[in-house]
Amino acid sequence: AKNRGRNRAVKFSEEMNKEARMQLWLEIELQKALQNNGLEVWYQPKVHARDFSINGAEALVRWNHPVEGYISPAQFIPVAERSGLIEQLGQVVMREVFTTVRYWKTQGLLPGKVAINLSPQQFGNPNLIQFVDKLRKATGVNPNDITFELTESAVMSDGEHTIQMLNAIKKLGFSLSIDDFGTGYSSLSYLARFPLDELKIDRAFIKDIEEIPKQLTLIENIINLGKSLNMSVVAEGVETRQQATLLSNLDCHAIQGFHFYKPLPKNELEATLHKHNHH
Ligand code: C2E
Ligand code: CA
Ligand code: CA
Ligand code: CA
């Protein structure tokens, strides 16, 4: 038995090592990718809940590793956040999106507002405001065409800082969205205090609306809550036609999910929009 315990301990520390080595590998490779322009930005369209026409898009970072192929953001974003690389990654994404949005605008291709995800670490850094302002001027983008998505945990960390940051972003003309709504286990009071334009209901609420009737009631009330606070409400992670129909009947504003569109490379989205515009 003693021996088995020791084996287990050895096995456990091997697992730990494996995990730690993986994290370190990801960090080193991500650093290279940042140096070599190895990151891409893809876009997932959202649609109007009424007629399912495109009404915006969310920018999502993609990493095509030269040997491993595409690595999921769920794997490397946390590594970027812990290592501090998120700062540089975020700047790469913002530069790419601002430039693209400006280009789409001149081509008459803009699908509506384009959303950029901000990690708590990015939001926590006051330099963000100056960076965004400079980038706005450099690219000539209209801030009205861009939304920043923040999670509840990002806005709940520090009240005074949050208010100042959110007001500064709004003052520049950008929109603000609360991402993964309902998963942060935070109090709802921030909804009234912060200048938020949009609320995105997390996929966790959507995925079993067909099986759990109360889930639908819950969503209906979240939609009403958002509306009563003058926020537009988006349902995320919609994968089936039944879900889309239910949400459309509940009168939420927009829907996002694989049922309509997966995240697309820039050129594929452009092709989709060309077709879309000719209908
Ligand atoms: P998120 O902001 O909640 O983004 C939505 C995620 O759900 C995306 O995963 C998207 O591909 C996925 N998704 C969309 N529709 C569906 C659906 O119908 N079903 C399912 N199962 N999934 C759906 P992705 O691209 O892997 O990104 C994961 C997370 O990584 C994002 O979650 C976001 O937190 C983070 N992330 C992605 N890009 C960026 C970025 O540029 N900057 C920062 N800071 N974080 C990012
Ligand atoms: Ca998001
Ligand atoms: Ca989300
Ligand atoms: Ca998320």
Side-chain angles (χ1 to χ4, degrees), residues 13-241:
S13 82
E14 269 173 6
E15 287 289 313
M16 292 268 294
N17 268 327
K18 219 166 130 191
E19 181 63 24
R21 277 204 306 273
M22 180 67 184
Q23 302 289 312
L24 188 61
W25 181 86
L26 280 168
E27 187 181 329
I28 291 167
E29 293 298 306
L30 186 57
Q31 198 143 24
K32 285 190 215 158
L34 283 164
Q35 273 155 15
N36 306 330
N37 253 324
L39 298 182
E40 304 163 20
V41 177
W42 289 26
Y43 298 86
Q44 183 181 29
K46 310 186 276 196
V47 301
H48 286 282
R50 288 265 159 98
D51 60 4
F52 301 151
S53 63
I54 295 179
N55 95 328
E58 176 175 3
L60 295 159
V61 69
R62 290 291 178 266
W63 177 15
N64 190 357
H65 185 272
V67 177
E68 303 295 325
Y70 283 97
I71 298 175
S72 162
Q75 244 188 312
F76 68 82
I77 291 288
V79 173
E81 290 177 340
R82 258 178 275 131
S83 62
L85 289 172
I86 193 68
E87 205 66 41
Q88 207 186 332
L89 183 153
Q91 294 184 353
V92 167
V93 169
M94 285 188 271
R95 209 170 279 125
E96 171 66 26
V97 175
F98 278 37
T99 308
T100 299
V101 164
R102 164 75 198 179
Y103 167 74
W104 282 342
K105 188 81 170 246
T106 62
Q107 301 296 304
L109 275 179
L110 194 68
K113 286 187 202 281
V114 177
I116 298 175
N117 288 288
L118 286 183
S119 289
Q121 289 82 351
Q122 296 173 266
F123 183 68
N125 185 349
N127 293 335
L128 174 73
I129 305 301
Q130 208 196 3
F131 177 83
V132 164
D133 193 27
K134 272 197 182 150
L135 193 60
R136 171 184 70 89
K137 289 181 185 133
T139 57
V141 83
N142 184 347
N144 207 12
D145 296 332
I146 291 178
T147 301
F148 287 105
E149 295 190 2
L150 288 151
T151 56
E152 291 176 314
S153 54
V155 298
M156 288 314 287
S157 56
D158 170 354
E160 213 23 62
H161 170 80
T162 299
I163 289 276
Q164 282 174 14
M165 291 288 282
L166 295 178
N167 285 338
I169 295 173
K170 284 292 291 177
K171 208 168 157 194
L172 291 174
F174 297 92
S175 300
L176 291 167
S177 174
I178 198 84
D179 201 1
D180 303 348
F181 179 81
T183 61
Y185 305 107
S186 51
S187 110
L188 292 177
S189 64
Y190 75 90
L191 286 178
R193 286 187 289 130
F194 300 158
L196 303 165
D197 305 286
E198 182 187 82
L199 181 162
K200 298 184 84 173
I201 306 176
D202 193 77
R203 185 172 93 86
F205 292 92
I206 313 295
K207 68 179 200 295
D208 41 28
I209 46 177
E210 289 143 279
E211 290 83 49
I212 307 175
K214 279 189 181 173
Q215 196 79 328
L216 205 58
T217 312
L218 193 55
I219 293 171
E220 186 168 18
N221 282 286
I222 296 175
I223 293 171
N224 289 333
L225 174 69
K227 281 186 173 171
S228 65
L229 294 169
N230 256 330
M231 299 169 79
S232 93
V233 181
V234 182
E236 283 197 282
V238 173
E239 294 184 344
T240 69
R241 182 212 296 257

